Amino acid sequence: MFDDLDAVVSDAIRSAFAEVAVHRPRASVQYAERVADADRPHRLIHGVFSAGPADDPLRGAARGSQFSGTTRVASLSAEFWIARAEVDALTDLPAKGDTIMLTSRAGSPVYAVSVVQHTDMGDMTLILVREDPPL
C-alpha cells in the first residue's frame, strides 16, 4: 500500500514541478579533465531541480573566554530529484562527475553531479555543483 501511495505522490510532484534535463555521462581519467563517456549515451531525464541558500558552520576549538563567535560559510545548495519510475526506466544511472544541463532555464546552466543519493524507496537525489562554462 505504501509503495502505491508513494507512486501516486511522486507522479503528482513530477507532473507539477519536474523539468527536462540533459544527462551527459563523463568518464574519469586520472590526472586529466573528465571527458564524455563513450559507453553511456546522453539522455533526457525528468526531475525536480531545487536550489537555495545553505549556511554551514565551521567547527573549531576555543578555550573559555577566547570564544568570540563562529565562522559560517554561505553557499548555494542545488539538487535534482528523480522519481522511482524514472530511475527504473534508466539503463545507466547518473554517477559522480556526470553533468546535468537544465535546458528550460535561461542560459541552460550546467551542473556537475558531486554526490548520488539513493533512497530505500527507489528514488534518487543528485547533489549538484555549478559547472564553469567552457572557455
Side-chain angles (χ1 to χ4, degrees):
M1 183 173 100
F2 189 77
D3 289 339
D4 294 338
L5 178 60
D6 181 62
V8 169
V9 171
S10 292
D11 286 343
I13 291 170
R14 184 175 181 240
S15 65
F17 301 109
E19 59 186 280
V20 176
V22 177
H23 169 230
R24 292 190 170 140
R26 295 192 297 186
S28 178
V29 180
Q30 190 173 12
Y31 305 118
E33 187 174 349
R34 291 183 185 271
V35 295
D37 188 343
D39 297 330
R40 299 186 299 150
H42 297 353
R43 73 177 55 81
L44 296 178
I45 57 175
H46 295 82
V48 178
F49 176 78
S50 61
D55 186 21
D56 299 313
L58 295 178
R59 307 249 187 247
R63 294 185 192 166
S65 64
Q66 293 177 347
F67 183 74
S68 61
T70 60
T71 302
R72 304 183 82 70
V73 175
S75 63
L76 178 75
S77 176
E79 300 178 358
F80 194 76
W81 175 79
I82 306 170
R84 179 182 183 168
E86 182 84 12
V87 171
D88 290 345
L90 295 174
T91 54
D92 293 309
L93 297 177
K96 181 178 179 178
D98 292 354
T99 62
I100 300 292
M101 181 171 64
L102 303 173
T103 56
S104 63
R105 295 183 180 252
S108 297
V110 177
Y111 290 85
V113 177
S114 66
V115 177
V116 177
Q117 296 177 337
H118 299 272
T119 70
D120 59 350
M121 293 302 298
D123 57 338
M124 175 188 300
T125 301
L126 306 176
I127 307 301
L128 306 173
V129 293
R130 186 71 184 257
E131 186 90 347
D132 289 335
L135 298 174

